[in-house]
Amino acid sequence: MRMEAVIFDMDGVLFDTERLSISCWMETAERMGLGDVTEGAYGCIGLNRTDSRLFLKGLYGESFPYDEFRAQNSALFQKKLKEDGLPVKKGAAEILSWLKEKGVKTAVASSTNTQSVRSHMERAGFLPYFREIIGGDMVEHSKPRPDIYLMACARLQVEPQRAAAIEDSPNGIRSAHAAGMMPVMVPDMVEPAPEIEALLYRRCTDLLEVKDFLAENL
């Protein structure tokens, strides 16, 4: 089946921000005396604010100071972005420019809040490449549920089975698969387990390989 649209996750796909995010989690937890939050940090990859809260409270107990932790963690993340710049993934500019030249419908579907997604896109000069920006605050529950991808497909006016989802996380792959899309994984911080491998339409090493793959299927 030919593809009519390509929908991108943001963190870990277009920007190398997952590593920065994990380091901020560790630093914030140490400052707050929360102990080891490694499981929580990795488990929240791909989740929006609502589902992150549920996950962390379930993991560490209702007493986990989610709001304070999130505020401090977000401030630290933004501080480091300002100091060091936004790390763009190899091949991101190339694939987005190519898709625009081809006239392919594109969108971002990120669990990050919409304002932050737009800010990142503007900073990188990527905003003109996308017809739609869907953030995690636009749906009640984001990945691994399919809602965010279904919304992106609806706004692009494309059937999910004719759209590719470019993802790096297991939660993102679960979401795209549940939406009935073609999940393409470029692993970043988490390597796919056999359960996730079984859901993939294609696995690529980087966005340049994704571009080559799309060239054969658009």
Side-chain angles (χ1 to χ4, degrees), residues 126-197:
F126 289 170
L127 203 53
Y129 292 126
F130 295 104
R131 299 193 187 189
E132 296 288 342
I133 301 288
I134 313 296
D137 55 321
M138 295 173 67
V139 292
E140 182 178 358
H141 295 288
S142 187
K143 305 166 188 178
R145 301 191 192 186
D147 308 39
I148 194 166
Y149 274 118
L150 291 174
M151 179 181 286
C153 288
R155 292 198 171 201
L156 290 178
Q157 296 183 315
V158 64
E159 293 296 324
Q161 62 266 30
R162 294 188 178 276
I166 314 303
E167 273 286 354
D168 70 297
S169 72
N171 281 329
I173 293 298
R174 292 186 184 103
S175 175
H177 184 268
M181 299 172 67
M182 305 177 194
V184 179
M185 189 175 197
V186 184
D188 184 41
M189 296 294 291
V190 181
E191 286 294 317
E195 169 224 342
I196 299 301
E197 289 272 11

Side-chain angles (χ1 to χ4, degrees), residues 83-127:
E83 291 173 350
D84 303 327
L86 184 63
V88 177
K89 282 278 195 175
K90 181 180 79 171
E94 290 89 339
I95 192 171
L96 294 177
S97 176
W98 177 76
L99 286 168
K100 190 171 183 64
E101 288 174 7
K102 297 274 289 183
V104 178
K105 295 179 179 180
T106 55
V108 176
S110 171
S111 293
T112 299
N113 71 79
T114 308
Q115 183 179 349
S116 294
V117 176
R118 286 191 173 276
S119 176
H120 284 11
M121 293 303 163
E122 287 180 336
R123 188 178 301 187
F126 289 170
L127 203 53

Side-chain angles (χ1 to χ4, degrees), residues 36-91:
D36 185 3
V37 294
T38 302
E39 186 177 354
Y42 282 88
C44 281
I45 292 176
L47 301 184
N48 68 357
R49 182 175 300 190
T50 299
D51 294 328
S52 291
R53 180 193 297 273
L54 291 171
F55 177 75
L56 291 174
K57 293 280 189 179
L59 186 62
Y60 299 124
E62 286 296 322
S63 62
F64 184 83
Y66 178 81
D67 292 320
E68 182 184 354
F69 178 84
R70 186 177 184 91
Q72 290 196 30
N73 189 44
S74 178
L76 179 61
F77 183 83
Q78 293 301 325
K79 176 176 179 287
K80 293 194 174 187
L81 271 188
K82 187 174 181 180
E83 291 173 350
D84 303 327
L86 184 63
V88 177
K89 282 278 195 175
K90 181 180 79 171

